[in-house]
Amino acid sequence: MTKIQMTTPLVEMDGDEMTRIIWQMIKDELICPFVDLKTEYYDLGLEHRNETDDAVTVESAEATKRLGVAVKCATITANAARVEEYGLKQMWKSPNGTIRAMLDGTVFRAPIVVRGIEPCVRNWEAPITLARHAYGDVYKNAEMRVPGAGKVELVYTAADGSEQRELVHEFDGPGVVQGMHNLDASIESFARSCFNYALDIKQDVWFSTKDTISKKYDHRFKDIFQEIFDAEYKERFDAAGIEYFYTLIDDAVARVMKSKGGFIWACKNYDGDVMSDMVSSAFGSLAMMTSVLVSPEGVYEYEAAHGTVQRHYYKHLKGEETSTNSVATIFAWSGALRKRGELDELPELMAFADRLEKATLDTIEAGEMTGDLALITTLENPVKLSTRAFIQAIAKRLAA
Ligand code: NAP
Ligand code: MG
């Protein structure tokens, strides 16, 4: 059999623990037998990040900007316990944080829908994609406890020294106060990422804030989205037969629950944090979610939404059998290969990505699945497979 050819390499970001084991299995069993895989390899495993003083993370993000498409394995975010476990030189920053900051993107997460794993919300027929703004608001706030009576003001000091003040509250007893910010530039790139992604997957964009209450802050988000949409996207949306729809966050929540799904829901940072956990758990499991970072320049980084599944890895190290779900990592690969195929005009590579996803879903629908899904499936008599056996069951279907 001749293998499918690639022209431009993918940026391959290897990772840690159980997902690193799965990574190799996916390449060996599901990709390399069929595709003449070309990648530029970066080892983001914690040991190598430590050896390179984390330079490898920065290099992998630069390569992504240069080549346009990356696929990333889950990685350990160092904490005090990991510093000790791996003898780290320092508590390295989150690789995802570093990469997001360099690519300036928006993270899109969508559930992988399969028969047998049913959403709790009966009317959801198609996945809902959450687009979460990843900069500012309460995540970069300044806050204080107010000890007692006194006045709290917002003070803006311009470069020329002139001041502008706004009273927050005249306290007559103790309380709390918080200051938040965002940047027009960041909101603009959030809007463009959402509109570009919508054109990519041909789905409507819903955007929601609380602009009736937050007449300057949230209203700025609403205005920027509308201005960018009207100036740059309206015609292309019309041509693609899709819509941009703005509504208040509370109205959006009610509509989402009653919808059939099949759209992109753009949320401010906090709303996106809360709503993505609600949407993903209502659809089944974190291991059944796609996740892609899209930069405003149209650079793509595909990953799994879950972590390195440490508990399973320690079992694996002890020689015990594991049943770790590889679906999100497989879909990170298929997403990246499809995008590469699209950009390089390689229809065979795009078709392979479709076949890989179909073989994965067919395997689950045939009742062969990992333990996490066997627990929640509506299929009768599911067969619980080990980590490797599940990937091999997919490989068998793919070869056929
Ligand atoms: P986790 O890896 O997401 O796993 C938490 C638990 O969720 C697992 O113990 C397992 O439950 C279940 N689970 C998650 N993914 C699964 C899968 N593919 N198949 C089956 N079950 C799955 O989170 P964690 O253990 O808290 O974090 C481990 C490391 O991952 C941390 O060092 C963290 O920094 C890192 N992390 C990385 C990323 C990323 O790179 N994108 C994201 C989050 C966390 P049971 O044990 O009950 O089976
Ligand atoms: Mg959260």
Side-chain angles (χ1 to χ4, degrees):
M1 195 182 79
T2 55
K3 292 188 186 180
I4 297 164
Q5 295 298 309
M6 295 177 64
T7 46
T8 317
L10 281 177
V11 177
E12 175 182 354
M13 304 172 175
D14 207 344
D16 288 299
E17 299 193 314
M18 202 59 209
T19 40
R20 188 179 180 100
I21 308 282
I22 287 175
W23 194 259
Q24 194 61 45
M25 288 182 189
I26 291 173
K27 282 170 63 180
D28 291 346
E29 307 267 353
L30 300 179
I31 299 175
C32 292
F34 309 98
V35 177
D36 192 8
L37 183 65
K38 279 197 176 66
T39 73
E40 219 175 275
Y41 179 84
Y42 294 87
D43 183 0
L44 266 53
L46 186 52
E47 283 164 356
H48 193 240
R49 275 184 274 146
N50 191 52
E51 280 163 24
T52 61
D53 294 337
D54 210 20
V56 65
T57 306
V58 173
E59 284 162 15
S60 73
E62 279 164 356
T64 306
K65 284 186 173 177
R66 174 164 45 82
L67 292 173
V69 186
V71 55
K72 180 180 171 292
C73 181
T75 46
I76 292 169
T77 299
N79 58 14
R82 300 299 197 161
V83 171
E84 202 180 334
E85 183 183 354
Y86 285 82
L88 301 180
K89 297 181 203 166
Q90 67 177 74
M91 202 185 290
W92 303 110
K93 282 194 278 185
S94 150
N96 292 331
T98 302
I99 293 165
R100 275 173 211 166
M102 286 181 65
L103 300 184
D104 181 23
T106 301
V107 178
F108 296 89
R109 292 198 163 157
I112 297 164
V113 177
V114 59
R115 196 170 55 82
I117 310 296
E118 307 299 336
C120 305
V121 182
R122 268 175 291 122
N123 44 282
W124 286 357
E125 292 167 12
I128 294 165
T129 299
L130 237 296
R132 174 183 171 187
H133 186 210
Y135 179 82
D137 301 351
V138 70
Y139 300 86
K140 260 196 179 305
N141 70 359
E143 44 183 33
M144 260 196 265
R145 270 181 72 171
V146 176
K151 180 168 73 173
V152 175
E153 289 176 297
L154 292 177
V155 183
Y156 164 67
T157 312
D160 67 6
S162 63
E163 270 183 11
Q164 205 181 314
R165 283 168 183 265
E166 180 77 31
L167 178 70
V168 177
H169 193 66
E170 278 285 350
F171 285 82
D172 52 19
V176 284
V177 66
Q178 178 182 68
M180 303 195 295
H181 80 280
N182 222 300
L183 306 171
D184 281 10
S186 178
I187 303 167
E188 285 162 12
S189 71
F190 173 40
R192 289 197 179 93
S193 294
C194 292
F195 294 140
N196 287 339
Y197 197 67
L199 286 168
D200 227 32
I201 66 171
K202 304 266 182 302
Q203 287 188 353
D204 295 348
V205 175
W206 296 15
F207 181 44
S208 50
T209 73
K210 194 70 181 172
D211 68 285
T212 46
I213 300 298
S214 174
K215 291 187 192 319
K216 296 209 170 85
Y217 197 107
D218 279 18
H219 215 286
R220 189 78 195 119
F221 280 77
K222 179 183 177 181
D223 287 347
I224 286 176
F225 264 67
Q226 195 64 52
E227 284 159 18
I228 288 183
F229 178 74
D230 290 341
E232 300 171 29
Y233 291 91
K234 190 169 184 329
E235 281 169 21
R236 280 184 281 164
F237 267 51
D238 288 346
I242 56 176
E243 282 180 7
Y244 168 59
F245 169 62
Y246 176 86
T247 187
L248 286 169
I249 179 79
D250 40 354
D251 181 51
V253 169
R255 286 172 188 259
V256 164
M257 296 310 286
K258 291 189 174 165
S259 77
K260 291 184 176 172
F263 53 88
I264 297 164
W265 184 10
C267 287
K268 287 178 61 198
N269 211 345
Y270 174 82
D271 297 338
D273 187 357
V274 177
M275 293 306 162
S276 64
D277 279 17
M278 184 200 72
V279 169
S280 67
S281 56
F283 268 104
S285 145
L286 254 195
M288 296 296 286
M289 280 261 278
T290 61
S291 181
V292 57
L293 173 70
V294 183
S295 87
E297 292 83 34
V299 164
Y300 293 75
E301 184 240 317
Y302 293 84
E303 58 177 8
H306 59 76
T308 60
V309 212
Q310 180 181 18
R311 205 180 65 80
H312 295 206
Y313 180 60
Y314 288 171
K315 277 178 72 180
H316 169 84
L317 287 182
K318 281 194 269 175
E320 290 172 33
E321 191 166 271
T322 56
S323 182
T324 312
N325 189 332
S326 48
V327 172
T329 308
I330 293 170
F331 273 64
W333 275 100
S334 59
L337 289 170
R338 182 185 293 107
K339 179 53 71 181
R340 199 63 272 170
E342 213 177 286
L343 296 175
D344 296 346
E345 296 177 22
L346 301 170
E348 275 193 60
L349 191 60
M350 292 165 70
F352 172 76
D354 292 346
R355 282 206 304 282
L356 174 56
E357 290 178 0
K358 184 170 187 310
T360 305
L361 300 181
D362 285 352
T363 303
I364 297 169
E365 292 185 356
E368 298 175 83
M369 58 191 80
T370 46
D372 56 322
L373 297 184
L375 279 176
I376 58 168
T377 184
T378 53
L379 299 177
E380 280 176 26
N381 309 316
V383 183
K384 176 183 163 181
L385 298 179
S386 70
T387 307
R388 181 178 293 280
F390 177 65
I391 290 174
Q392 285 170 338
I394 298 169
K396 222 196 285 171
R397 283 192 168 71
L398 197 55

